Amino acid sequence: MHNNTYHSARHSEYWQQLQTLAAQPWSLAQLFAQDDERTTRFSSQAGALYMDYSKQCIDDTVLANLLSLADSCELSTRIQALLQGEMVNTSEQRAALHTALRLPETAELQVGAQDVVADVHHSLARVARLSERVRNGTWRGFSGQAITDVVNIGVGGSDLGPLMATTALDEWADTDIDVHFVSNMDGTQLDNLLKHLNPENTLFIISSKSFGTVDTLSNAKTALSWLLATAKLRAGTEDSVLRRHFIGISANSEKMSAWGIHPEHQLQLWEWVGGRFSLWSAIGLAIAIRIGMPRFKELLSGAHSMDEHFAQADFGDNLPVLLGLLAVWNSTFLQVNAHTVLPYDGRLSYLPSYLTQLEMESNGKSVTLHGDHIDYDTCPILWGEIGSNAQHAFYQLLHQGTQQVSCDFIACVRRYSTKVQNNAPLQQQHELSLANCLAQSRVLAFGNAAVADADKLSGEATTACDADKYKYYRGNQPSTTLLIDELTPHSLGALIALYEHKVYVMASIWDINPFDQWGVEMGKQMAESVHHAMQHEVDGQFDSSTDQLLQHIKQLS
């Protein structure tokens, strides 16, 4: 079924009913007081992921209407269209087949003339060969030295995904090769990094779907100049440097070749792989180098297990569906237009940044699939931080500010085996982190009532707190808690795929395309115009503010 034939949830009776329900006052304290079995009904599990959404401002009627809303826009059909390679990215006339990147080799998926599974696994085999050459020391730099450092040059999805996953899984690394990430256009990251690297044993991965992103290519050009400065002193050649120190990952092989990437060191993407959904592809080369191909495949397997859950589980027990519907309820109906992701695990330090791109670049849209202007709120503003750090940064606003904010708390249950000698102090720290995770979600939900209960348990008086207006906690901040049995490549894959599918569920309800990013493209085009004016002394070309700022820059240059 083509996307423009889907029914719109906006015009269903359930949308209207949800608007009516949202207008009534919602009190989490009252919802819990009236229902002893609330937590049992409003929780679900898929594999290693357990989700408690009982602290969301919903009841059975709201959930029933949300599930009916999903049916009204034919969400099941939309899910199948996504998984089967139909043209779900309508504005760019292509599929969005990131789920195919983690299909097992025994699966079958034919899209037009392309045997997708065969092509994906051919690419993975090349990733395996290249990563193993680097890992086992057979890949040599221009002076014959083995590679000790790998620098991934990319931006957006070509940076955030590999950076997030490599950081999260670093304890699974089984090589001394260090992996670094460079994304910033101004050169600060690269400049600071090159001061500490040896050009003779540094390998660069240039990751760019188009191989035309100015951020990435400007860093790549600087890296090449750095290498050549040393190689020429040692009688090396540019061709040797390009062949021995650069791998390209792109959907544009012509541009890779024109830049100088040797054909044997080019890894292919497909147009149906969106950048922010691409870490499962050759874009994940840096991950494979750091943790090895077998564990990279475990990451893919974990994501595939969530794909199967998404496709098969009833919506009432379907984690991505529930997570997406709750986000729609908060943003569109309750007007909770801010959302924060709070992982209580330092290994997930880059997850909030990754999800910021995944959700806001995907669903920050104001036009429907049919080109109509939207008259309802779509994607909320999203940000986040490691929970313990966030407590000392912006939790003040969450607890006592004037804004309503929905929260995702994420924590891993098991960490630091007690069987390992001297791990007891780390285990205690982990338990303290878990306690903080549960405590913060409790206070955000119940406010002063939770504080009073805690004081009773500790034997402390509550009178002063109750009487002091500066210590008032209103509570009623909605949250979901995701507990992961243990952080492994498999469970991390499932977690990432959970959020990918959440984005698709939200987009389906809002009737928008989550796979294009025309706003990003417009910014890039304007930057080219401004850069041209800066270089060629063009005056009076833009608005008065931009023209004045350009003049100020030129005067100081």
Side-chain angles (χ1 to χ4, degrees), residues 392-497:
H392 297 276
F394 56 80
Y395 271 43
Q396 173 63 39
L397 181 144
L398 300 183
H399 285 301
Q400 293 187 307
T402 59
Q403 305 294 323
Q404 267 217 293
V405 181
S406 60
C407 308
D408 283 356
F409 290 90
I410 304 173
C412 301
V413 177
R414 294 193 300 269
R415 191 180 182 188
Y416 303 125
S417 170
T418 55
K419 296 179 181 179
V420 178
Q421 189 177 8
N422 298 325
N423 258 20
L426 288 172
Q427 179 66 28
Q428 291 171 2
Q429 286 188 250
H430 176 60
E431 290 174 359
L432 183 62
S433 179
L434 285 173
N436 272 266
C437 178
L438 301 186
Q440 293 291 341
S441 68
R442 173 170 164 73
V443 176
L444 284 172
F446 305 117
N448 273 54
V451 176
D453 289 343
D455 287 341
K456 288 177 184 178
L457 289 171
S458 65
E460 296 181 5
T462 60
T463 306
C465 180
D466 293 337
D468 193 337
K469 60 184 178 182
Y470 299 108
K471 297 180 180 178
Y472 174 72
Y473 305 90
R474 71 177 185 279
N476 222 39
Q477 293 278 47
S479 70
T480 295
T481 300
L482 277 164
L483 294 180
I484 308 168
D485 290 353
E486 188 174 9
L487 188 63
T488 65
H490 192 277
S491 65
L492 179 66
L495 178 68
I496 300 167

Side-chain angles (χ1 to χ4, degrees), residues 101-365:
L101 299 171
R102 55 249 192 171
L103 282 171
E105 201 165 4
T106 54
E108 296 181 5
L109 181 61
Q110 190 86 17
V111 177
Q114 183 182 15
D115 185 340
V116 174
V117 177
D119 287 352
V120 164
H121 281 272
H122 174 73
S123 177
L124 288 175
R126 296 202 65 211
V127 170
R129 287 195 296 272
L130 288 179
S131 63
E132 189 56 31
R133 284 179 58 197
V134 175
R135 285 164 54 83
N136 66 19
T138 58
W139 187 300
R140 300 280 167 160
F142 64 82
S143 66
Q145 293 190 32
I147 298 301
T148 59
D149 291 88
V150 174
V151 181
N152 186 91
I153 300 177
V155 70
S158 297
D159 169 73
L160 287 168
L163 171 62
M164 179 270 297
T166 302
T167 303
L169 300 176
D170 195 59
E171 66 191 88
W172 298 86
D174 56 356
T175 178
D176 292 330
I177 296 171
D178 288 325
V179 176
H180 315 273
F181 294 86
V182 169
S183 61
N184 199 294
M185 186 190 302
D186 72 4
T188 301
Q189 290 174 309
L190 185 61
D191 181 44
N192 290 337
L193 182 60
L194 295 184
K195 293 173 183 176
H196 304 286
L197 296 182
N198 182 347
E200 297 179 61
N201 45 36
T202 300
L203 173 68
F204 292 90
I205 302 170
I206 307 177
S207 299
S208 173
K209 182 177 175 180
S210 65
F211 222 78
T213 307
V214 64
D215 318 49
T216 299
L217 294 184
S218 60
N219 277 316
K221 182 179 179 181
T222 300
L224 177 58
S225 297
W226 175 73
L227 284 163
L228 289 175
T230 302
K232 287 178 179 177
L233 292 175
R234 297 173 179 268
T237 64
E238 183 169 343
D239 180 69
S240 175
V241 167
L242 285 166
R243 180 163 186 162
R244 294 169 181 264
H245 290 271
F246 287 94
I247 294 174
I249 306 172
S250 177
N252 195 325
S253 57
E254 289 184 6
K255 284 190 175 181
M256 283 195 285
S257 296
W259 197 87
I261 305 294
H262 192 277
E264 291 180 5
H265 301 156
Q266 295 180 14
L267 294 172
Q268 298 295 319
L269 296 178
W270 302 271
E271 290 298 333
W272 43 255
V273 180
R276 55 193 174 277
F277 300 92
S278 66
L279 72 85
W280 323 99
S281 69
I283 291 292
L285 174 62
I287 309 171
I289 289 173
R290 185 65 179 155
I291 67 172
M293 200 64 189
R295 290 189 174 117
F296 182 72
K297 288 187 174 180
E298 290 175 24
L299 183 76
L300 302 184
S301 176
H304 178 63
S305 70
M306 184 56 67
D307 297 340
E308 291 188 311
H309 171 78
F310 184 45
Q312 298 169 9
D314 291 339
F315 284 175
D317 291 312
N318 194 308
L319 265 61
V321 171
L322 291 168
L323 203 58
L325 291 175
L326 290 168
V328 170
W329 168 244
N330 282 324
S331 183
T332 303
F333 297 99
L334 294 180
Q335 274 77 57
V336 180
N337 300 129
H339 180 72
T340 185
V341 178
L342 305 164
Y344 275 77
D345 193 307
R347 296 169 294 181
L348 298 175
S349 58
Y350 289 106
L351 181 64
S353 296
Y354 174 80
L355 295 180
T356 294
Q357 185 203 17
L358 178 65
E359 296 206 17
M360 291 202 289
E361 190 167 271
S362 296
N363 287 340
K365 311 289 171 61

